[in-house]
Amino acid sequence: MTRIAPSILSADFMRLGDEIRAAEEAGAELVHVDVMDGHFVPNITIGPMFVEGIRKITKLPIDVHLMISDPDKYAHDFASAGSDYITVHAEATTHLHRSVQCIKEEGVKAGVSLNPATPLCSLDYILSDIELVLIMSVNPGFGGQKFIPSALEKIRKLKDTITERNFSVLIEVDGGVKIENAAKITRAGADILVMGSAFFGSGDYSAFIKKLREELGK
């Protein structure tokens, strides 16, 4: 079953604890945390202390997406804070294999994210070492952007590769995911849908997930 991962980037930060609890009660399967440094992407968000706080209020897996330069430097801090998944960008690290190993040595599941223009061949020699690939369907840095249609073919090709090589790697998709395109993205091969403004802007999280599940079931 497709997993729903609300991105707290679009939550009300003044009520973050309540927002996360409400998402969990509504049926969300993960909490997605976007970490931005103002260098790799043109925005600044949160650090390990927020993840530590989130860990205290939810039993859901915490899915940390590092949109930062030099991710190796912070892998230990985010792992110690309670992350279940830590994903780094292929474009943000000089030695991707080393970055992945830094995460795995912390006992955390490792993911690699690809920006819209980054080819799938970047994963050729790392796919067997990771648990998750995050396909960016917008350019990272801001919420509320429109889904880039070419991501669908990228998802399909990645799914075929994972199946052919018999790997247990999840495909996560982040950027412009809405109820209207969720079924199309899932059919392409997505296992996890990151939903930010669509989810937290819906007003009624339980109703939103119910409608989403109905669309995915069609």
Side-chain angles (χ1 to χ4, degrees):
M1 184 175 73
T2 307
R3 304 182 203 178
I4 310 303
S7 169
I8 65 165
L9 181 64
S10 298
D12 181 351
F13 269 51
M14 296 299 291
R15 302 175 51 254
L16 187 57
D18 292 337
E19 291 274 64
I20 292 171
R21 291 188 191 94
E24 183 172 2
E25 291 171 3
E29 282 91 4
L30 300 94
V31 176
H32 188 82
V33 181
D34 289 308
V35 179
M36 307 181 191
D37 63 358
H39 184 260
F40 178 66
V41 293
N43 205 349
I44 298 174
T45 55
I46 61 178
M49 289 181 65
F50 268 82
V51 174
E52 187 175 354
I54 293 168
R55 179 74 290 158
K56 293 175 181 177
I57 62 171
T58 182
K59 294 180 180 179
L60 292 179
I62 299 177
D63 172 31
V64 175
H65 177 196
L66 297 182
M67 289 176 271
I68 63 176
S69 302
D70 196 11
D72 302 12
K73 187 176 179 180
Y74 300 98
H76 173 75
D77 292 340
F78 279 100
S80 297
S83 305
D84 295 281
Y85 291 88
I86 296 178
T87 297
V88 298
H89 270 261
E91 310 86 1
T93 178
T94 305
H95 305 288
L96 182 57
H97 183 271
R98 180 181 296 161
S99 298
V100 166
Q101 296 311 311
C102 283
I103 295 168
K104 295 178 77 69
E105 286 168 6
E106 296 290 341
V108 176
K109 295 176 182 177
V112 172
S113 183
L114 301 182
N115 282 338
T118 302
L120 288 174
C121 61
S122 303
L123 300 171
D124 283 353
Y125 297 99
I126 199 67
L127 200 55
S128 61
D129 294 295
I130 59 178
E131 285 79 29
L132 181 146
V133 175
L134 172 52
I135 298 295
M136 292 300 301
S137 44
V138 299
N139 289 294
F142 299 96
Q145 299 183 65
K146 291 184 179 179
F147 183 87
I148 298 173
S150 60
L152 290 172
E153 182 62 19
K154 200 172 190 179
I155 297 163
R156 290 188 196 99
K157 289 181 178 179
L158 176 58
K159 189 68 171 183
D160 288 344
T161 299
I162 290 170
T163 302
E164 288 168 7
R165 297 175 68 178
N166 197 30
F167 289 152
S168 298
V169 180
L170 297 171
I171 299 176
E172 184 173 54
V173 180
D174 184 2
V177 181
K178 301 179 179 180
I179 286 178
E180 293 77 13
N181 60 16
K184 188 185 301 184
I185 296 167
T186 301
R187 284 195 298 269
D191 301 294
I192 302 171
L193 301 178
V194 177
M195 307 184 82
S197 54
F199 182 88
F200 285 107
S202 68
D204 186 332
Y205 305 153
S206 294
F208 178 87
I209 288 183
K210 182 176 183 293
K211 185 176 181 182
L212 176 60
R213 291 292 179 204
E214 290 172 353
E215 288 296 318
L216 293 179
K218 289 181 179 178

